Amino acid sequence: MVRYFFTRTARIPGFEVEHNQFLRTARTVFVNFKYRGFVPTILGIMARFASKLQLPVMQKFMFQEQGSEYTWLDTGGIVEVQNLDLPEEKQRAATRYEAASEYEFRDVVERLKIPYKKYHFLDYGSGKGAILAAAVAYPFKSVVGVEHSLMLHEVATKNILEMKRRNSVAAEALNSVHGDAATYQLAPEPHIIYLYNSFDANILRAVAERITHDLVGVQEPIYFLYNNPMHHVVLDENDKFQKISSPFGGKWMVYSVSP
Ligand SMILES: C[S@@+](CC[C@H](N)C(=O)[O-])C[C@H]1O[C@@H](n2cnc3c(N)ncnc32)[C@H](O)[C@@H]1O
């Protein structure tokens, strides 16, 4: 138990960047109070303790089992890379599909305190669109996801139609683009760019170059939100990227970009 809370380690080695478990847990509890409310959070904490003690009770109250607000969207499940409809060399550079926590995302975005209307939001490797669904709740100038798997892009397109049908879109525009993040061209305007460990260091290097090339001349601060930053060294070594915070004990890293 003591090791779990205080070591700087990955919960799922190989799938998660090393981070401080104590700080992550503290922020996760805070975020659940903030967005889910008191009772679901207390039940979630009790369920977590029960699971640590290997008691087969309260499983359905674990935070991951309590699920997302968007139960009406098809964003769940894990799609392993070998099951993505991509050629082998692209599979090798990619990670599997898995939706991120919308609550962590909302907390990180809201702390930026930016004028949403001036900003485009871009998700590199948007999958079925789970984070697009969370991002469109803010009045961004546009919300765009780039996804290279046609199969996942088509699911995202259906989800987007459903978001529009339910009037849950506060952003001016919302799209899923079928394509490779490394070749996606950004409009030269303010951006919040989000990445949930979608690809390897080489693609990240290409993406970082694209961002600094395409956004040159943009006056407003540009932010890069890196969730599960397995290849953060690529950005740490790039003098146009400046790390400004490491939320959730380093399970996220937030950079400001000066193209
Ligand atoms: C971990 S999932 C993230 C899903 C979503 N962004 C979220 O946070 O919930 C990573 C996604 O990136 C996609 N991906 C991987 N490499 C890519 C690339 N080079 N271009 C576009 N999408 C890519 C995968 O197909 C997968 O859907």
Side-chain angles (χ1 to χ4, degrees), residues 97-115:
Y97 170 75
E98 183 175 8
S101 156
E102 78 221 44
Y103 300 121
E104 290 182 13
F105 169 79
R106 285 167 63 182
D107 187 48
V108 172
V109 165
E110 286 170 16
R111 279 167 195 253
L112 294 176
K113 306 241 181 291
I114 47 148

Side-chain angles (χ1 to χ4, degrees), residues 72-88:
W72 40 276
L73 292 178
D74 169 15
T75 57
I78 288 176
V79 184
E80 298 293 350
V81 270
Q82 61 272 23
N83 297 327
L84 289 174
D85 49 343
L86 294 168
E88 226 179 282

Side-chain angles (χ1 to χ4, degrees), residues 72-162:
W72 40 276
L73 292 178
D74 169 15
T75 57
I78 288 176
V79 184
E80 298 293 350
V81 270
Q82 61 272 23
N83 297 327
L84 289 174
D85 49 343
L86 294 168
E88 226 179 282
E89 82 275 6
K90 285 210 169 202
Q91 284 184 352
R92 269 198 297 274
T95 58
R96 65 186 189 179
Y97 170 75
E98 183 175 8
S101 156
E102 78 221 44
Y103 300 121
E104 290 182 13
F105 169 79
R106 285 167 63 182
D107 187 48
V108 172
V109 165
E110 286 170 16
R111 279 167 195 253
L112 294 176
K113 306 241 181 291
I114 47 148
Y116 299 114
K117 284 182 189 223
K118 282 192 176 176
Y119 279 82
H120 296 278
F121 174 84
L122 174 61
D123 179 359
Y124 279 127
S126 41
K128 300 182 185 179
I131 286 303
L132 301 183
V136 287
Y138 304 95
F140 285 115
K141 206 166 178 183
S142 76
V143 168
V144 174
V146 184
E147 173 54 54
H148 65 172
S149 153
L150 181 60
M151 177 178 86
L152 295 178
H153 159 74
E154 283 176 351
V155 177
T157 304
K158 282 195 194 131
N159 282 330
I160 287 172
L161 285 176
E162 187 57 17

Side-chain angles (χ1 to χ4, degrees), residues 109 111-121 140 186-193 211 215-225 240-242 244 254-259:
V109 165
R111 279 167 195 253
L112 294 176
K113 306 241 181 291
I114 47 148
Y116 299 114
K117 284 182 189 223
K118 282 192 176 176
Y119 279 82
H120 296 278
F121 174 84
F140 285 115
L186 291 82
E189 293 188 29
H191 272 79
I192 303 293
I193 300 154
I211 293 169
L215 300 187
V216 79
V218 173
Q219 298 301 313
E220 290 80 355
I222 295 158
Y223 295 102
F224 189 95
L225 317 180
K240 293 181 174 166
F241 284 74
Q242 172 101 44
I244 54 172
V254 178
Y255 294 82
S256 73
V257 189
S258 312

